[in-house]
């Protein structure tokens, strides 16, 4: 995906995160309508396995995931259009990411998927050593979960 394919989307917020322990998984987060957002993720320090999961209702890639390794200094970023959940696993200690968001954070619009949900089956490259309570306590997807209607 290219930013030029996201008409009318402007940068609204930039966030910086620090994760200290290798093997930590954070995510899988997304914003629901009427506040969907694109994200651009860049690794400033360390190395991460960055993952997007398609949660768009009716999408031909619905609930499929894609991962990319991002390393500080590699000059690469991961662009996620609206309707994709985002998460990552640290592949080194002391990783830092910067996120460029196409919309401001709206707590009432935040949703997420469990990183270990078998309906998605993300292939985390390392043993998962830590997941926040917020992320690990999300319910598993029901068999008939329709997705997000953008």
């Amino acid at each position: 995906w290219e930013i030029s394919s996201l008409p009318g989307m402007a940068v609204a917020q930039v966030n910086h995160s620090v994760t200290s322990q290798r093997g930590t998984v954070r995510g899988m987060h997304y914003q629901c309508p009427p506040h969907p957002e694109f994200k651009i993720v860049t690794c400033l320090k360390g190395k991460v396995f960055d993952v997007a999961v398609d949660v768009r209702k009716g999408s031909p890639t619905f609930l499929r995931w894609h991962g990319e390794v991002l390393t500080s200094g590699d000059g690469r970023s991961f662009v996620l259009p609206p309707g994709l959940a985002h998460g990552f696993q640290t592949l080194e200690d002391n990783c830092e990411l910067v996120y460029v968001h196409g919309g401001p954070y709206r707590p009432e619009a935040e949703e997420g998927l469990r990183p270990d949900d078998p309906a998605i089956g993300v292939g985390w490259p390392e043993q998962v050593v830590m997941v926040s309570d917020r992320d690990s306590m999300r319910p598993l997807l029901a068999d008939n979960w329709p997705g997000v209607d953008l």
Side-chain angles (χ1 to χ4, degrees):
W1 299 289
E2 297 180 11
I3 293 300
S4 61
S5 69
L6 305 173
M9 301 302 270
V11 173
Q13 184 171 317
V14 177
N15 292 348
H16 177 248
S17 74
V18 177
T19 306
S20 61
Q21 188 175 8
R22 179 181 185 153
T24 298
V25 170
R26 296 180 71 175
M28 307 291 302
H29 307 140
Y30 62 94
Q31 293 271 120
C32 290
H35 305 290
E37 63 177 3
F38 73 82
K39 290 181 186 175
I40 303 171
V41 183
T42 305
C43 183
L44 298 178
K45 182 179 179 188
K47 182 177 180 181
V48 300
F49 183 65
D50 211 58
V51 175
V53 176
D54 189 347
V55 296
R56 299 171 294 183
K57 181 179 181 178
S59 170
T61 56
F62 181 61
L63 293 185
R64 288 183 37 201
W65 64 271
H66 177 80
E68 293 284 337
V69 173
L70 298 178
T71 304
S72 62
D74 68 5
R76 299 176 62 226
S77 296
F78 199 27
V79 178
L80 295 88
L84 272 65
H86 172 256
F88 66 90
Q89 181 179 44
T90 55
L91 303 178
E92 295 180 359
D93 289 338
N94 303 312
C95 291
E96 295 185 33
L97 298 178
V98 66
Y99 303 80
V100 175
H101 297 264
Y105 174 66
R106 308 271 186 159
E108 71 277 11
E110 182 187 53
E111 285 294 336
L113 309 172
R114 263 185 47 183
D116 64 345
D117 195 316
I120 303 161
V122 173
W124 301 110
E126 296 195 1
Q127 178 180 347
V128 175
V129 298
M130 180 184 288
V131 179
S132 73
D133 288 343
R134 177 180 124 198
D135 294 336
S136 65
M137 298 305 289
R138 293 188 185 278
L140 294 174
L141 292 176
D143 289 338
N144 61 349
W145 187 69
V148 176
D149 194 3
L150 294 181

